[in-house]
Amino acid sequence: LLLGSEDSTGVGSTFSTTLYTGNGGSTTTITNNIDLLGDGGLVWIKARNAAENHALFDTERGVTKILSSNLTDAESTNTGTLTDFYSNGFKVNGNGTVGSSTDPYVSWTFKKQAKFFDIVTYTGNGTSQTISHNLSVAPAVIITKRTDTTSNWLVYHTSIPTQNIYLNTTAAAAGTMGITSVTDASYAVNGSSELNENVGTYVAYLFAH
């Protein structure tokens, strides 16, 4: 999917925080006026009153494909989670991470759009490679997760571009960042297992400044 055109109406059609109540065995449709079907994007869900994992779904990997930002787990498929992307929102089923009966949830939705947010997926080659993106500016934040096996959530941030931060740990910034250059059209990665192990599969979420 290409990024949506720049939106003169502001952030309302590119980002949404939406509260909803789960429906257990029945589906729940969340209307937030974000065009996930046409433009694509990321939906991040968290139960507000229970010790459930975070649940991340995006249009590049597809419906029912869940990642949890507080875990190192590989991607899993669960038909009880997010089942549909719409032109004005999305639909969830009754799994506890997204829709237990009467439980309150919060969802954060980011639409793919130039100068705001993009999603890329790629397969590692074990040495180095350049990853193209459509953000149209150099990303300020890149969150990368290997999807085919356990791994940390590696975060690149423009304020400390040479060190690693991890989304799923409390560790301080440390080590040497494997993202070696960043431009308005691409970024380069070395052979780090968290970024580019041979035949590993990856998803990256890119945010503009």
Side-chain angles (χ1 to χ4, degrees):
L1 293 173
L2 297 176
L3 298 188
S5 58
E6 281 197 70
D7 185 355
S8 61
T9 63
V11 75
S13 64
T14 57
F15 172 76
S16 173
T17 299
T18 306
L19 305 180
Y20 68 93
T21 301
N23 202 19
S26 300
T27 59
T28 302
T29 297
I30 290 80
T31 301
N32 59 17
N33 298 317
I34 305 294
D35 185 2
L36 293 166
L37 187 63
D39 292 323
L42 165 68
V43 178
W44 188 328
I45 298 172
K46 180 67 178 74
R48 298 168 58 212
N49 71 334
E52 295 286 354
N53 293 317
H54 290 254
L56 281 73
F57 308 88
D58 63 71
T59 53
E60 297 301 299
R61 294 180 298 114
V63 296
T64 74
K65 307 294 186 182
I66 184 171
L67 289 168
S68 296
S69 58
N70 56 307
L71 303 176
T72 61
D73 293 10
E75 174 188 277
S76 61
T77 301
N78 189 323
T79 57
T81 58
L82 188 150
T83 59
D84 293 275
F85 292 115
Y86 296 133
S87 60
N88 61 353
F90 60 94
K91 183 169 70 177
V92 296
N93 212 322
N95 181 272
T97 56
V98 299
S100 283
S101 181
T102 73
D103 282 355
Y105 292 83
V106 59
S107 67
W108 301 281
T109 302
F110 302 82
K111 188 178 82 166
K112 289 177 60 176
Q113 180 155 312
K115 301 182 180 180
F116 177 63
F117 176 71
D118 194 16
I119 305 167
V120 297
T121 57
Y122 62 95
T123 300
N125 63 14
T127 56
S128 63
Q129 65 170 308
T130 298
I131 312 299
S132 298
H133 66 78
N134 292 304
L135 202 56
S136 297
V137 293
V141 176
I142 303 172
I143 302 173
T144 305
K145 178 69 174 77
R146 185 170 176 178
T147 58
D148 62 316
T149 190
T150 58
S151 72
N152 287 316
W153 290 73
L154 182 64
V155 181
Y156 162 93
H157 195 283
T158 188
S159 66
I160 46 171
T162 62
Q163 290 187 297
N164 299 323
I165 308 173
Y166 293 104
L167 196 62
N168 56 291
T169 79
T170 59
T176 303
M177 170 55 65
I179 293 176
T180 56
S181 67
V182 177
T183 76
D184 61 1
S186 65
Y187 64 97
V189 296
N190 65 16
S192 160
S193 64
E194 295 169 328
L195 289 168
N196 192 31
E197 186 163 311
N198 191 36
V199 306
T201 57
Y202 297 84
V203 63
Y205 304 123
L206 285 66
F207 298 84
H209 194 280

